[in-house]
Amino acid sequence: MALALCLQALCSLGGWLSLYVSFCRLNKHRSYEWNCRLVTFAHGILSIGLSAYIGFIDGPWPFTHPGSPNTPLQVHVLCLTLGYFIFDLGWCIYFRSEGPLMLAHHTLSILGIIAALVLGESGTEVNAVLFGSEITNPLLQMRWFLRETGRYHSFTGDVVDFLFVALFTGVRIGVGACLLFCEMVSPTPKWFVKVGGVAMYVVSWCFMFSIWRFAWRKSIKKYHTWRSRWSEERQLRLNGHLKTH
């Protein structure tokens, strides 16, 4: 069983690495980060769809059955995601593109997935955490691509930012708190799985503080821009009115 899990994870790692190499060859005029973020975007879309299917359709429900035995589909998805996180963590360390917080997030994710696979249980809540963590990922990548192509300062950029902040606050912080509570009060999950859940939630709050600071600064900037534009339009209307007399 352990050998089969290792082979699945290695195949996943090879698959994500191959996809990255393919993107690099197809987009030779783009940076390495551009192609890595394409892989991240692809993983985000795939993991959201699979984890949503597991949580909402295939089951079991993570809020009522934390610590339950892993299903075959959960094992496949966890191995798929484990390979991705190993690839992305290695890429971030090699290119030194991320800070300690993101590296801690990836490390906790890898350890949590490995723990669920080795124990043969808790895949239900780990899959739910995967869904909550990845649901904002495509928006984060879209924001970066908009910046790189000079289209961030537009209505599309504002919509992406709003959805990102709203989903992060509502899902990772709001729904995440409910999931963590269910995990903590349930006698089934192992104690170190609960500790890992707390650590992941603390990391989410660290991200949340940074996101809220960004949202506040952008809101203030938008407000001052609106005030300035409104004052200019009002002055033009008044000048035009005076000229008619």
Side-chain angles (χ1 to χ4, degrees), residues 88-115:
D88 201 49
L89 179 62
W91 193 95
C92 292
I93 293 174
Y94 181 80
F95 287 96
R96 300 179 181 179
S97 61
E98 299 292 346
L101 189 59
M102 183 61 74
L103 297 180
H105 170 270
H106 277 33
T107 302
L108 287 171
S109 298
I110 291 171
L111 292 176
I113 293 172
I114 292 175

Side-chain angles (χ1 to χ4, degrees), residues 7-82:
L7 287 175
Q8 285 190 64
L10 286 174
C11 287
S12 172
L13 174 60
W16 295 114
L17 185 59
S18 298
L19 182 62
Y20 171 70
V21 172
S22 299
F23 281 142
C24 288
R25 290 182 176 178
L26 288 173
N27 304 310
K28 293 181 179 180
H29 61 292
R30 297 293 186 181
S31 65
Y32 290 124
E33 185 173 4
W34 176 285
N35 295 306
C36 183
R37 287 182 180 271
L38 283 177
V39 175
T40 301
F41 183 84
H43 171 262
I45 296 297
L46 183 61
S47 60
I48 289 170
L50 291 173
S51 58
Y53 176 82
I54 290 174
F56 294 106
I57 300 175
D58 192 63
W61 186 238
F63 295 95
T64 56
H65 294 81
S68 58
N70 299 341
T71 66
L73 182 57
Q74 287 174 354
V75 171
H76 293 321
V77 173
L78 291 179
C79 288
L80 178 71
T81 302
L82 178 60

